[in-house]
Amino acid sequence: KGMIAFSVSCDGVHWAPFEPLATSPVAKGGRTTDHPVDGYVRRRGDTLFVFLHLDVPGITPLSTAYTSEGSRIVRLDIPLAKLAAYTTAARVRDDYLDFSCPRT
C-alpha cells in the first residue's frame, strides 16, 4: 500500500518521519493512484484543508486501480492542533535534528 503523507523540515535537508494522511493504492510501476492537489494547503480557522486528487487518470488502466467513483477531488480536514503537536514532536527527535535545527 502507498500513502499520502506530510513531513516537516527546518532546513530543507533533514526531514521528520512521514505522518500519514491517507492510504493510496499502488499501481504498476510503484506510483500511487492518488496525488495531493498541487501539494498546497489552505487554512481557515483552526482547520487545515488538504486537497487530494483520487484515482488520477493515466496512472494505470481503468480495470485495475480505479474505484467505481472515478477520478475526483476530495478535502481532508486536519485540526491545526494535530499539526502543531506533530511539528513539536518532530523538532525534539534526536534522530531528526542536527546542529542547524533549533530545539524547542
Side-chain angles (χ1 to χ4, degrees), residues 4 11 13 35 48 64 84:
I4 295 176
D11 62 6
V13 175
H35 296 173
L48 189 70
T64 60

Side-chain angles (χ1 to χ4, degrees), residues 35-75:
H35 296 173
V37 175
D38 285 340
Y40 291 97
V41 295
R42 179 178 157 201
R43 182 186 152 225
R44 187 172 87 186
D46 61 353
T47 303
L48 189 70
F49 297 144
V50 177
F51 296 91
L52 305 178
H53 187 174
L54 304 184
D55 293 328
V56 175
I59 300 296
T60 193
L62 290 173
S63 61
T64 60
Y66 287 67
T67 67
S68 60
E69 298 176 65
S71 183
R72 63 207 179 280
I73 303 293
V74 299
R75 186 182 84 196

